[in-house]
Amino acid sequence: MTFEMKKKKLSEIANLLKKFQKFIITSHTNLDGDALGSELGLYFILKQLGKNVKIVNQDHVPMIYKFMPGIDKIISSDTFDKKNLVEIEVDTVLIVLDSSNWERIGNIPLDIRKINTIINIDHHTSNNGFGHINYVDSSASSVGEIIFQLCLELNCELTKEIAITLFSAIVTDTGSFRYANTKADTFLAAYHLVKSGANPHLITDYIYNNNKISTLKLLGESLLKLQVDSKSKISWTIVTKEMMENTFAKEEETEGIIDKILAIKKVQIAVLFRETKDGKIKVSFRSRGKFNVDLFAQQFGGGGHPNASGCQIEGDINNISKLILDKLIEEFYFLEKI
Ligand code: 5GP
Ligand code: MN
């Protein structure tokens, strides 16, 4: 999208937000900082416009994001009585954030069939345009950065709540401004958010220096299982249900492991295989070179970004890791030769 196209599309969305009165915001399963930060940033923007807004997600809020203003307002299906669906009227608008396809939002306690207007706001290249109105800007570091632009477009005041939540979204999706998605515009947004009351030290201290003992024990266990291929360019490790039980860690505490095994000299791609509660294998990919892990994960029904992606597969962890690693090693070295 050119700058003019973005501007036009963003003003279309801004007009819709002004026109309608009732909104429900949702995002993907396995909530991350961008999902939550952009949901809450948009929530406060819509509240400023005098709208009726609810945030509804399938999953619960991970502990490290509990500091965000407004976090206690989020409804999750984990804690929700499924018989009491969130009320929907004919003019209720559903806004889906940070989700490349409809399946990513999981099961939320809503009667989706009643929704007549779905706005899809995302930054994944692979977004399939499932909304009635779609705003997909793959050059944006995060959905938080898009919501910041939307806030400007709406002439809303950048309150401290909006600043903190959107800064959290941006800082987490850019790996603290280190990933390749970090552009000048990302810093421009961050500049305004910090000016408006987001404290980078306090926010990152809360997110990154708030580990539980169980998180570090699980990290230790999984690092013991670390392996690399013969040329040390691909690293991988596993997290089994048994390791989770031994360390008393929750699923959300696996978050930082893959970054550790990507930060090894020469390593270009890191893979984490994890047994989930529901009996599947969750595979996470990270790349710090040219290899596109979004395209790779799509072969297994997943997706994401060129440098960070994932998929979920049913089966045994040893068989799946072998299948995926064989294919990855083959594709990676084939492309390296070209
Ligand atoms: P993570 O490995 O942290 O769960 O996910 C990394 C990135 O890949 C995120 O941007 C996330 O949106 C995307 N991703 C993870 N799992 C899936 C999946 O099953 N399907 C799709 N389409 N994207 C995924
Ligand atoms: Mn994101």
Side-chain angles (χ1 to χ4, degrees):
M1 273 198 291
T2 62
F3 177 76
E4 285 71 28
M5 278 158 79
K6 277 193 217 173
K7 184 93 184 123
K8 186 163 167 274
K9 200 92 207 177
L10 210 54
S11 87
E12 261 175 52
I13 305 236
N15 287 336
L16 274 174
L17 300 189
K18 285 188 214 152
K19 187 174 143 199
F20 285 88
Q21 191 54 35
K22 299 184 203 83
F23 295 89
I24 294 172
I25 305 173
T26 192
S27 188
H28 53 81
T29 55
N30 289 316
L31 291 160
D32 60 15
D34 190 29
L36 287 163
S38 58
E39 285 187 331
L40 287 163
L42 182 58
Y43 172 90
F44 287 116
I45 290 170
L46 289 169
K47 279 279 170 196
Q48 212 181 106
L49 297 173
K51 309 294 177 173
N52 177 329
V53 200
K54 287 198 170 74
I55 305 176
V56 186
N57 295 318
Q58 175 188 292
D59 289 345
H60 69 280
V61 174
M63 201 268 296
I64 56 168
Y65 303 119
K66 292 251 161 102
F67 74 97
M68 287 192 207
I71 206 85
D72 54 334
K73 298 197 169 60
I74 298 181
I75 301 166
S76 102
S77 54
D78 282 15
T79 53
F80 197 82
D81 177 356
K82 296 221 168 65
K83 281 173 272 163
N84 290 317
L85 295 179
V86 171
E87 235 175 86
I88 294 168
E89 286 160 49
V90 280
D91 57 346
T92 302
V93 177
L94 178 68
I95 308 178
V96 184
L97 302 177
D98 201 32
S99 307
S100 53
N101 58 55
W102 181 250
E103 289 68 39
R104 292 280 295 144
I105 66 174
N107 284 317
I108 52 172
L110 285 184
D111 190 352
I112 301 293
R113 289 164 302 179
K114 288 192 187 160
I115 303 257
N116 292 316
T117 316
I118 298 174
I119 305 180
N120 159 22
I121 302 178
D122 190 24
H123 67 133
H124 292 89
T125 331
S126 57
N127 191 295
N128 65 6
F130 59 86
H132 300 111
I133 298 106
N134 301 288
Y135 186 85
V136 181
D137 178 5
S138 56
S139 73
S141 65
S142 50
V143 176
E145 195 179 315
I146 301 174
I147 303 297
F148 166 78
Q149 289 156 0
L150 191 59
C151 184
L152 298 188
E153 182 65 38
L154 283 159
N155 283 317
C156 280
E157 184 196 344
L158 263 184
T159 60
K160 194 167 176 180
E161 281 116 343
I162 298 174
I164 294 172
T165 51
L166 295 185
F167 187 88
S168 305
I170 295 173
V171 83
T172 50
D173 249 29
T174 57
S176 306
F177 304 101
R178 288 179 300 125
Y179 299 157
N181 59 0
T182 309
K183 313 266 169 60
D185 280 345
T186 322
F187 286 105
L188 186 67
Y191 168 86
H192 288 289
L193 297 171
V194 172
K195 274 273 189 190
S196 305
N199 181 323
H201 166 66
L202 289 181
I203 291 172
T204 52
D205 193 49
Y206 203 97
I207 298 173
Y208 299 113
N209 299 341
N210 213 354
N211 287 310
K212 295 202 271 184
I213 303 295
S214 50
T215 312
L216 291 187
K217 291 213 163 156
L218 181 67
L219 173 66
E221 289 245 339
S222 69
L223 290 182
L224 286 174
K225 311 250 179 198
L226 168 68
Q227 296 192 60
V228 290
D229 74 302
S230 61
K231 292 193 177 133
S232 301
K233 293 198 177 177
I234 298 173
S235 64
W236 66 91
T237 192
I238 57 165
V239 170
T240 62
K241 271 194 196 162
E242 195 189 354
M243 288 159 72
M244 304 285 288
E245 281 157 18
N246 290 345
T247 55
F248 302 102
K250 292 196 201 132
E251 299 208 320
E252 68 197 50
E253 294 177 62
T254 54
E255 190 84 333
I257 298 173
I258 194 153
D259 298 316
K260 285 275 178 290
I261 68 165
L262 183 66
I264 303 171
K265 191 171 178 178
K266 290 211 306 206
V267 164
Q268 297 294 301
I269 305 169
V271 192
L272 175 69
F273 300 95
R274 172 166 71 82
E275 288 177 339
T276 65
K277 272 192 289 198
D278 53 5
K280 288 191 186 143
I281 307 301
K282 155 96 206 190
V283 192
S284 290
F285 301 95
R286 299 290 183 274
S287 158
R288 61 187 174 99
K290 283 193 297 269
F291 190 85
N292 186 326
V293 288
D294 174 19
L295 294 180
F296 187 78
Q298 282 181 36
Q299 299 180 60
F300 301 95
H305 303 283
N307 297 103
S309 69
C311 62
Q312 277 158 75
I313 310 178
E314 268 175 64
D316 167 78
I317 195 163
N318 293 317
N319 297 342
I320 287 175
S321 56
K322 183 166 183 336
L323 176 98
I324 288 186
L325 288 168
D326 284 350
K327 189 144 185 58
L328 183 62
I329 289 170
E330 184 193 315
E331 279 193 26
F332 175 77
Y333 288 106
F334 175 76
L335 290 172
E336 261 222 328
K337 268 193 263 148
I338 303 175

